């Protein structure tokens, strides 16, 4: 596992360009298997989650050409629908999108359960509820999942929770089913319309993506298409928060401000000064930050993926800030690491309380998951002295070229 060594409290300024969205790319790549021809996807971030998906495609005898400009061409005509073993499936949560894609095209899937991680048990009951409604039989044991269907027939599927993964996976399984599928209480995260646009470019018939009712009319054939991954709203939010915490002046560009509206509103409540452009935000360190409270909700509410990064900014805000994490049952592990840096934090069930402003001191800490790691990078950049972040590979899963991007704005950071 790599470590990040950060000497904090430097003057940061300049520009950061945001990459393609991880949580979009990790669905678009497996979904390519639904196509009867080649697909080209551009603006794919160069991150280890994409490397892991590439390994699974190769395991299935698909061919994938990854250019170094973020363009990926996937030839999936000749795939061999083999079981996906634990070693491959456990590498990332999003391996579960191969269920929807392979079921949708071949009516058969065998794979090990996708990787959970430390933020929670991460069940897939809603995904399976959708697949069964479409006519799939689910078998296997508590390690392996087998899905089989003689035929997939459109159905009405109500999601008890507006699950991002279940919404996307059911969409993938439904695009080639016979008849019409309606997903009710669908997730509305911006990645979903982007994935629907990609499938429609292949000839799928999906309406309502981005709203809570998605209608999918099954088709028999999906043709070649080219598609662009939308900017990563969580990466964008991460760097905007970093700018508010410790930059003299930071321009975060190539973003869709609307996709992080909830974050921008909360930062305004904290008295952060920002200039919001058409596809950029300019932000600078604010000396008089005010405490705020956050509750994580499905889109367009405050994203759970940004609360761990906000926690670092909250250590610099005057008063007691709070976070109510309603989505995941164990997403505060970064807070215990920040206690080692001198932060004043209390955790009580799904709520965390952060009192500031407190001076953070560099020390040795551990990344426990992707966004926890990102939050600790902000804390280390804020802190006096040197911080070593162990298990930095978690961070590399979702942040393309993070060391280069930080060095370019003056951060003293090294990956070892
Ligand atoms: C996606 O995970 C993201 N991952 C997560 O981002 C993000 O935190 C999450 O959506 C919520 O926005 C990817 O897109 C690869 P969910 P996903 O299904 O799809 C419950 C990151 O940092 N649930 O919306 O797994 C579940 O327990 C990652 O990039 C069920 O109960 O999230 C949780 O409480 C971390 N049954 C809630 O729904 C199910 O079948 C949210 O899950 C599925 C989910």
């Amino acid at each position: 596992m790599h470590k990040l060594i950060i000497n904090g409290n430097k003057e940061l300024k300049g520009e950061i360009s945001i990459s393609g969205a991880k949580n979009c790319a990790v669905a678009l790549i497996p979904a390519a298997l639904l196509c009867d021809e080649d697909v080209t996807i551009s603006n794919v971030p160069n991150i280890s989650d994409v490397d892991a998906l590439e390994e699974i495609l190769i395991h299935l005898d698909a061919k994938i050409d990854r250019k170094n400009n973020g363009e990926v061409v996937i030839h999936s005509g000749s795939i061999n629908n083999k079981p996906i073993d634990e070693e491959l499936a456990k590498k990332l949560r999003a391996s579960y999108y191969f269920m929807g894609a392979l079921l949708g095209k071949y009516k058969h899937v065998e794979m090990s359960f996708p990787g959970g991680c430390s933020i929670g048990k991460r069940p897939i009951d809603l995904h399976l509820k959708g697949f069964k409604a479409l006519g799939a039989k689910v078998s296997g044991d508590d390690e392996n999942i087998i899905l089989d269907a003689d035929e997939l027939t459109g159905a009405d599927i109500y999601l008890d929770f507006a699950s991002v993964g279940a919404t996307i996976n059911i969409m993938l399984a439904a695009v080639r089913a016979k008849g019409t599928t309606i997903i009710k209480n669908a997730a509305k995260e911006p990645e979903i319309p982007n994935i629907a646009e990609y499938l429609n470019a292949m000839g799928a018939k999906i309406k309502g993506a981005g709203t809570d009712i998605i209608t999918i009319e099954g088709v028999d054939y999906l043709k070649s298409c080219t598609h662009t991954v939308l900017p990563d709203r969580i990466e964008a939010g991460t760097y905007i928060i970093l700018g508010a915490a410790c930059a003299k002046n930071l321009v975060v560009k190539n973003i869709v401000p609307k996709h992080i509206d909830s974050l921008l509103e909360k930062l305004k409540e904290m008295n952060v000064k920002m200039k919001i452009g058409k596809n950029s935000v300019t932000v600078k360190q604010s000396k008089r930050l005010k405490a705020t409270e956050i509750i994580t909700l499905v889109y367009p509410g405050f994203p759970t993926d940004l609360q761990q990064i906000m926690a670092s900014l909250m250590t610099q805000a005057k008063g007691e800030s709070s976070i109510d994490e309603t989505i995941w049952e164990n997403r505060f592990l970064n807070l215990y690491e920040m206690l080692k840096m001198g932060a004043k934090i209390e955790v009580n069930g799904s709520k965390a309380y952060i009192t500031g402003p407190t001076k953070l001191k560099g020390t040795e800490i551990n990344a426990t998951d992707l966004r926890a790691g990102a939050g600790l990078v902000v804390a280390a950049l804020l802190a006096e002295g040197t911080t070593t972040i162990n298990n930095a590979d978690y961070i590399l899963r979702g942040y393309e070229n993070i060391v280069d991007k930080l060095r370019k704005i003056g951060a003293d950071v090294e990956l070892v």
Side-chain angles (χ1 to χ4, degrees):
M1 270 279 201
H2 291 85
K3 296 174 195 274
L4 273 174
I5 316 256
I6 297 175
N7 287 314
N9 212 13
K10 302 279 181 246
E11 182 180 274
L12 306 181
K13 64 180 186 302
E15 287 193 353
I16 286 187
S17 184
I18 294 305
S19 307
K22 164 181 93 78
N23 290 347
C24 188
V26 297
L28 296 171
I29 292 172
L33 295 180
L34 280 163
C35 194
D36 295 292
E37 300 174 12
D38 295 353
V39 297
T40 301
I41 309 169
S42 53
N43 198 32
V44 175
N46 180 20
I47 52 176
S48 57
D49 269 7
V50 172
D51 301 342
L53 291 171
E54 181 176 3
E55 275 185 60
I56 297 176
L57 281 181
I58 291 167
H59 166 76
L60 296 168
D61 298 336
K63 283 197 250 355
I64 173 168
D65 298 332
R66 266 172 87 183
K67 317 250 168 58
N68 54 20
N69 61 355
E71 190 174 273
V72 166
V73 182
I74 299 171
H75 317 262
S76 58
S78 62
I79 86 130
N80 182 347
N81 188 7
K82 293 181 268 190
I84 299 171
D85 64 24
E86 175 177 4
E87 198 248 329
L88 284 169
K90 285 269 184 243
K91 283 181 184 254
L92 77 159
R93 165 91 178 159
S95 57
Y96 56 33
Y97 289 130
F98 283 99
M99 290 183 194
L102 294 171
L103 177 67
K105 184 159 178 200
Y106 301 101
K107 302 191 182 36
H108 174 79
V109 192
E110 183 165 351
M111 69 180 284
S112 131
F113 266 110
C117 68
S118 60
I119 64 173
K121 52 186 190 307
R122 308 196 75 171
I124 54 168
D125 56 304
L126 295 175
H127 301 236
L128 300 178
K129 172 181 181 180
F131 297 149
K132 281 189 257 189
L134 293 169
K137 277 188 298 312
V138 180
S139 59
D141 53 33
D142 57 0
E143 280 303 302
N144 247 320
I145 268 203
I146 302 171
L147 301 173
D148 276 302
D150 303 331
E151 186 160 77
L152 292 173
T153 315
D156 284 13
I157 300 160
Y158 168 73
L159 291 181
D160 306 70
F161 180 85
S163 153
V164 173
T167 300
I168 295 170
N169 234 345
I170 293 164
M171 212 161 63
L172 300 185
V175 285
R176 302 178 73 115
K178 296 246 171 310
T180 302
T181 296
I182 302 178
I183 304 174
K184 297 176 177 174
N185 192 27
K188 299 184 275 194
E189 274 68 4
E191 293 76 51
I192 292 165
N194 185 275
I195 293 157
E197 188 191 305
Y198 166 71
L199 295 167
N200 284 341
M202 294 183 203
K205 292 199 172 73
I206 302 169
K207 288 199 179 64
T211 74
D212 49 4
I213 307 260
I214 300 179
T215 304
I216 303 128
E217 217 183 300
V219 295
D220 296 331
Y221 190 84
L222 292 173
K223 64 187 186 333
S224 206
C225 79
T226 57
H227 183 72
T228 303
V229 184
L230 82 170
D232 192 319
R233 61 193 168 93
I234 306 300
E235 186 196 15
T238 300
Y239 288 116
I240 291 168
I241 294 167
L242 183 153
C246 41
K248 193 163 167 2
N249 192 61
L250 180 66
V251 182
V252 179
K253 55 185 197 156
N254 185 23
I255 71 169
V256 181
K258 181 173 164 310
H259 290 167
I260 43 171
D261 200 38
S262 57
L263 169 71
L264 300 178
E265 288 307 317
K266 293 314 279 186
L267 290 176
K268 284 179 202 161
E269 283 176 24
M270 293 179 80
N271 194 28
V272 173
K273 303 280 175 274
M274 289 174 287
K275 199 154 66 45
I276 301 169
K278 207 164 90 45
N279 50 17
S280 70
V281 165
T282 302
V283 61
K284 54 182 64 147
Q285 188 177 32
S286 316
K287 284 292 172 216
R288 291 182 329 290
L289 285 171
K290 289 195 315 217
T292 187
E293 55 297 317
I294 278 172
I295 174 165
T296 64
L297 294 168
V298 296
Y299 192 85
F302 192 91
T304 168
D305 292 352
L306 285 176
Q307 63 90 342
Q308 291 168 294
I309 297 114
M310 270 302 253
S312 301
L313 180 66
M314 287 170 161
T315 62
Q316 305 308 306
K318 186 168 170 23
E320 182 181 78
S321 295
S322 67
I323 298 171
D324 186 357
E325 171 54 69
T326 72
I327 307 281
W328 298 109
E329 63 271 27
N330 186 25
R331 204 172 193 173
F332 285 144
L333 297 179
N334 50 304
L335 301 181
Y336 300 104
E337 297 302 308
M338 286 213 290
L339 285 174
K340 298 175 189 171
M341 303 173 82
K344 289 195 188 66
I345 297 171
E346 266 169 56
V347 174
N348 179 359
S350 76
K351 288 197 175 62
Y353 302 92
I354 299 165
T355 305
T358 34
K359 200 97 205 74
L360 300 181
K361 284 187 200 48
T363 183
E364 179 157 353
I365 51 179
N366 305 303
T368 51
D369 57 83
L370 165 61
R371 306 301 174 184
L376 294 176
V377 167
V378 175
L381 291 168
L382 268 171
E384 279 291 331
T386 305
T387 299
T388 301
I389 303 178
N390 297 318
N391 308 331
D393 293 60
Y394 279 117
I395 303 166
L396 305 179
R397 287 188 44 201
Y399 289 91
E400 181 181 69
N401 301 336
I402 183 165
V403 173
D404 302 350
K405 291 188 181 185
L406 290 176
R407 280 195 175 147
K408 232 183 87 189
I409 62 169
D412 177 351
V413 53
E414 194 187 356
L415 182 71
V416 296

